């Protein structure tokens, strides 16, 4: 997945910003409200012309991952006969910039590598970020709206930031959107580390926790493989994994010059891919179960990554899977030893998807 980025959607917090702007204009901000307004205004203004773009932190993250991968798998990149590294990226600039930073760092560590790049709608649609029928979003939104109503308490926030709650109830036309907007400002502040802001001390922890649970449900419903809508979202993971098989089988040929294949994309492909492989920590839940038990920040953070490392055994090709740089088990398969699986078994699992 791309690294830390600017928020991808201005509408996720526009209502919140408008309400604070109005409150400031009317002199309705408490001392705490003034502090929070200053912080979210700084975040809002730094996003001008940058929505969805890679943040400086995201570039650093990809360079660090490239360094750790190189140091962990030096043998892969030291072969005299295998110098090709084939890269494909989503067409979105945050992914292209992630790829540039990752490969520039890798090239500095192993200058003999011959790195090639591909990006375009053909690759995007075929497997990198395959389009998904999103008519189910309306049904998902109904479930999420009901979860918002039982989880969020926007009325708790009003007296903290505003001197005239009655007037603010007139200005805030969607209290749930207002509260979620505050949460999104808080969440993205970690990606905007160069601003040096600390919103955690400005927003009640209980409400941040509640908003996080709602956001987890939103992401699980629309991106992960849920019980309700997984038949739609799994498409991205299936297409990406099928490409993995094709590229791996090609690279495993004796005459191949390929050292590695790299893909730079989005959480919308990463989550289904992990679930379909049966990787521990990526269960198939109902949306309500995800709302209660699943934390996106733990399993699909910015720069989340899956690495498949191949080993030639005496009689079999083995593969080890690392998720977010940790050795991982595939719950639907039996390893030959530890975290090592027969490639034939993993390929069969993918072929049957």
């Amino acid at each position: 997945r791309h690294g830390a980025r600017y928020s991808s959607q201005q509408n996720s917090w526009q209502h919140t910003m408008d309400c604070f702007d109005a409150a400031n204009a009317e002199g309705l901000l408490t001392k705490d409200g003034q502090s929070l307004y200053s912080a979210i205004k700084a975040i809002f203004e730094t996003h001008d012309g940058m929505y969805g773009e890679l943040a400086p932190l995201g570039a650093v993250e990809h360079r660090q991952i490239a360094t750790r991968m190189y140091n962990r798998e030096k043998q892969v990149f030291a072969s005299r006969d295998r110098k090709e590294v084939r890269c494909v990226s989503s067409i979105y600039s945050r992914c292209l910039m992630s790829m540039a930073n990752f490969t520039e760092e890798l090239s500095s560590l192993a200058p003999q590598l011959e790195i090639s790049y591909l990006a375009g709608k053909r690759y995007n649609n075929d497997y990198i970020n395959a389009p998904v029928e999103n008519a189910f979003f309306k049904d998902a939104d109904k479930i999420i709206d009901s979860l918002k109503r039982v989880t969020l308490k926007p009325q708790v926030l009003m007296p903290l930031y505003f001197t005239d709650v009655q007037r603010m109830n007139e200005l805030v036309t969607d209290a749930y959107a207002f509260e979620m907007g505050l949460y999104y400002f808080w969440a993205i502040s970690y990606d905007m580390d160069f601003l040096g802001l600390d919103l955690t001390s400005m927003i009640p922890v209980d409400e941040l926790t509640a908003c996080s649970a709602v956001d987890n449900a939103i992401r699980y419903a629309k991106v992960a493989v849920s019980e309700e809508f997984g038949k739609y979202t799994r498409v991205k993971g299936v297409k990406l994994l099928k490409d993995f098989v094709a590229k791996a089988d090609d690279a495993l040929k004796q005459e191949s010059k390929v050292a590695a294949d790299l893909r730079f994309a989005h959480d919308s492909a990463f989550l289904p891919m992990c679930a379909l492989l049966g990787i521990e920590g990526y269960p198939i839940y109902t949306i309500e179960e995800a709302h209660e038990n699943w934390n996106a920040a733990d399993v699909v953070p910015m720069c989340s990554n899956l690495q498949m490392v191949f080993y030639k055994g005496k009689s079999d090709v083995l593969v080890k899977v690392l998720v977010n740089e940790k050795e991982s088990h595939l719950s639907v398969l039996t390893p030959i030893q530890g975290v090592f699986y027969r490639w034939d078994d993993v390929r069969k699992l993918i072929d049957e998807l």
Side-chain angles (χ1 to χ4, degrees):
R1 187 189 182 192
H2 55 75
R5 55 152 170 76
Y6 290 79
S7 174
S8 59
Q9 295 183 331
Q10 183 172 343
N11 62 5
S12 67
W13 57 33
Q14 187 65 59
H15 182 53
T16 307
M17 195 72 245
D18 290 344
C19 291
F20 268 90
D21 281 338
N24 181 62
E26 296 186 25
L28 302 178
L29 294 174
T30 64
K31 185 178 180 179
D32 287 342
Q34 290 172 356
S35 297
L36 182 56
Y37 177 54
S38 177
I40 67 173
K41 188 175 182 180
I43 295 172
F44 188 83
E45 289 178 347
T46 202
H47 272 72
D48 185 30
M50 294 298 290
Y51 281 93
E53 301 296 340
L54 191 72
L57 177 61
V60 172
E61 289 171 336
H62 268 281
R63 287 178 177 274
Q64 290 175 339
I65 289 177
T67 298
R68 291 192 295 267
M69 185 183 75
Y70 171 79
N71 288 331
R72 188 171 52 246
E73 314 295 349
K74 281 186 178 179
Q75 188 176 351
V76 171
F77 301 105
S79 172
R80 294 181 179 180
D81 300 321
R82 290 177 173 266
K83 299 180 181 180
E84 295 179 11
V85 176
R86 304 181 294 194
C87 304
V88 186
S89 172
S90 159
I91 58 176
Y92 288 90
S93 56
R94 57 184 175 270
C95 297
L96 292 164
M97 292 294 289
S98 294
M99 177 172 68
N101 280 277
F102 188 102
T103 55
E104 185 175 284
E105 188 68 19
L106 183 60
S107 183
S108 72
L109 296 166
Q112 79 282 3
L113 293 176
E114 299 168 2
I115 303 176
S116 62
Y117 303 91
L118 286 175
K121 289 184 178 180
R122 178 198 305 171
Y123 310 106
N124 213 61
N125 294 341
D126 282 354
Y127 54 86
I128 287 293
N129 191 30
V132 170
E133 173 59 54
N134 62 8
F136 75 91
F137 277 15
K138 291 182 179 179
D139 294 327
D141 285 338
K142 291 178 183 177
I143 298 173
I144 292 162
D145 285 344
S146 67
L147 291 174
K148 286 180 182 177
R149 296 179 186 282
V150 299
T151 306
L152 305 182
K153 297 178 180 178
Q155 68 275 12
V156 171
L157 302 175
M158 297 303 171
L160 298 179
Y161 308 125
F162 309 114
T163 58
D164 188 339
V165 173
Q166 184 175 352
R167 173 58 178 152
M168 287 310 300
N169 286 336
E170 296 172 359
L171 294 173
V172 178
T173 58
D174 187 335
Y176 299 113
F178 172 84
E179 181 169 353
M180 288 303 297
L182 277 183
Y183 168 79
Y184 290 128
F185 274 119
W186 169 81
I188 210 66
S189 69
Y190 290 94
D191 291 17
M192 307 287 102
D193 62 331
F194 55 88
L195 293 176
L197 296 172
D198 178 17
L199 272 68
T200 302
S201 61
M202 303 179 187
I203 305 171
V205 172
D206 287 349
E207 289 311 297
L208 287 176
T209 302
C211 287
S212 177
V214 170
D215 187 53
N216 287 333
I218 293 171
R219 297 180 67 184
Y220 199 87
K222 297 185 177 182
V223 177
V225 182
S226 67
E227 290 279 2
E228 295 92 337
F229 306 118
K231 64 181 179 181
Y232 301 105
T233 57
R234 72 193 304 272
V235 171
K236 288 181 184 286
V238 169
K239 290 194 172 185
L240 195 57
L241 288 170
K242 298 283 188 183
D243 178 65
F244 281 14
V245 168
K247 297 301 189 296
D249 282 347
D250 176 63
L252 287 168
K253 294 176 182 177
Q254 191 66 36
E255 66 274 16
S256 175
K257 304 297 183 183
V258 176
D261 280 285
L262 304 177
R263 301 288 178 265
F264 298 85
H266 307 269
D267 56 355
S268 56
F270 180 84
L271 279 171
M273 178 176 63
C274 291
L276 294 170
L277 282 174
I279 292 173
E280 292 180 352
Y282 295 82
I284 296 177
Y285 281 142
T286 65
I287 296 170
E288 188 168 349
E289 287 172 337
H291 172 258
E292 297 172 354
N293 303 299
W294 188 78
N295 188 355
D298 291 337
V299 296
V300 61
M302 298 294 183
C303 226
S304 50
N305 58 90
L306 180 145
Q307 299 176 28
M308 300 177 75
V309 187
F310 292 81
Y311 300 80
K312 285 190 175 181
K314 293 181 180 179
S315 58
D316 294 307
V317 173
L318 306 180
V319 63
K320 177 176 69 175
V321 177
L322 297 93
V323 177
N324 296 329
E325 301 177 85
K326 296 179 181 179
E327 294 179 348
S328 302
H329 288 278
L330 311 184
S331 61
V332 293
L333 295 177
T334 302
I336 188 170
Q337 183 178 338
V339 292
F340 292 91
Y341 295 83
R342 292 183 178 86
W343 171 235
D344 284 346
D345 293 339
V346 178
R347 187 207 289 113
K348 184 173 184 290
L349 169 66
I350 296 171
D351 285 343
E352 293 174 352
L353 292 175

